[in-house]
Amino acid sequence: KQEVTQIPAALSVPEGENLVLNCSFTDSAIYNLQWFRQDPGKGLTSLLLIQSSQREQTSGRLNASLDKSSGRSTLYIAASQPGDSATYLCAVDAGGTSYGKLTFGQGTILTVHP
Amino acid sequence: EAGVAQSPRYKIIEKRQSVAFWCNPISGHATLYWYQQILGQGPKLLIQFQNNGVVDDSQLPKDRFSAERLKGVDSTLKIQPAKLEDSAVYLCASGYYNEQFFGPGTRLTVL
């Protein structure tokens, strides 16, 4: 059974810092990995999706890497801003007969203070 | 385009009562998912539909939870009777290829 763990559980940083969020998964046979953002009282917004054949994806100040063999992914946020404050969730899709069934980590609560 | 719609946004009930949630996915999305997110945890998949057929409901507590997707569009999730541990946010998502698009969720409080 796939298990996804995110470290740290919470992170508080001053504005402008570069930061790294970590995600680990127990079964390396994944189809893809996604990073989501969740704002209070709102649904999830997809940030980046990395296919199993890819090593990284970039969108603006966000960069996500994937190391399938070690079961790890990192989300790098450059020059953090107060608007980045949210919960960040990673999720893996095992593919195959489990295609589309996402297994989520518990999330990292990020607070960026001015 | 319009996103995934869910209603109600909030619901408070007493234990042993019943409750129903509604989801309208993005037009044209064949796949629909219901997730349960307990406070402090990541979402957990309850059921996955492809059009109006169930693909996976292995984590749905079938003694009290039921879901349907009539005509392959809207979906309802019902809990009867509710327990205290059902307090959570219920998220609906619709899928297109690799991506899932989430609605705002329904926050259920069971007293």
Side-chain angles (χ1 to χ4, degrees):
Chain A
K1 176 186 174 185
Q2 179 73 270
E3 292 184 2
V4 181
T5 303
Q6 291 186 245
I7 295 173
L11 184 62
S12 180
V13 301
E15 181 177 6
E17 271 203 9
N18 302 324
L19 54 98
V20 174
L21 308 181
N22 296 291
C23 172
S24 62
F25 45 95
T26 55
D27 187 345
S28 62
I30 66 169
Y31 180 68
N32 64 46
L33 182 145
Q34 295 185 64
W35 283 93
F36 292 88
R37 168 183 174 141
Q38 186 172 32
D39 293 283
K42 297 186 179 181
L44 280 65
T45 301
S46 180
L47 298 173
L48 290 165
L49 184 151
I50 312 176
Q51 299 289 356
S52 62
S53 59
Q54 298 175 317
R55 294 300 299 262
E56 66 177 340
Q57 281 284 350
T58 298
S59 176
R61 293 182 295 107
L62 305 180
N63 175 275
S65 66
L66 174 64
D67 184 343
K68 265 184 54 176
S69 60
S70 66
R72 294 183 181 182
S73 176
T74 60
L75 178 66
Y76 176 83
I77 303 177
S80 59
Q81 302 171 358
D84 294 330
S85 298
T87 298
Y88 290 80
L89 294 152
C90 71
V92 298
D93 183 341
T97 56
S98 298
Y99 177 75
K101 299 170 195 173
L102 298 180
T103 302
F104 283 85
Q106 77 277 24
T108 293
I109 302 172
L110 173 65
T111 303
V112 181
H113 47 89
Chain B
E1 71 184 2
V4 177
Q6 290 189 247
S7 67
R9 294 294 313 278
Y10 306 92
K11 190 74 177 178
I12 301 174
I13 62 173
E14 295 190 351
K15 60 183 179 182
R16 291 187 289 273
Q17 286 186 324
S18 62
V19 64
F21 313 127
W22 174 83
C23 172
N24 181 242
I26 294 172
S27 177
H29 286 192
T31 313
L32 185 146
Y33 309 83
W34 282 101
Y35 291 86
Q36 178 193 59
Q37 186 176 23
I38 293 172
L39 186 65
Q41 299 181 18
K44 182 184 80 171
L45 179 68
L46 293 176
I47 188 167
Q48 176 185 2
F49 291 95
Q50 181 74 20
N51 296 309
N52 61 347
V54 175
V55 175
D56 186 350
D57 63 358
S58 58
Q59 298 194 90
L60 187 73
K62 299 180 188 62
D63 58 333
R64 298 184 300 107
F65 286 63
S66 64
E68 61 181 7
R69 189 182 185 196
L70 299 177
K71 301 180 181 179
V73 181
D74 294 6
S75 177
T76 57
L77 176 69
K78 297 179 181 178
I79 307 175
Q80 182 179 12
K83 294 185 175 182
L84 297 177
E85 59 261 37
D86 298 332
S87 294
V89 175
Y90 290 84
L91 295 163
C92 177
S94 66
Y96 185 75
Y97 289 102
N98 283 340
E99 288 193 84
Q100 294 187 28
F101 299 83
F102 284 78
T106 297
R107 181 175 296 278
L108 173 67
T109 302
V110 182
L111 303 176

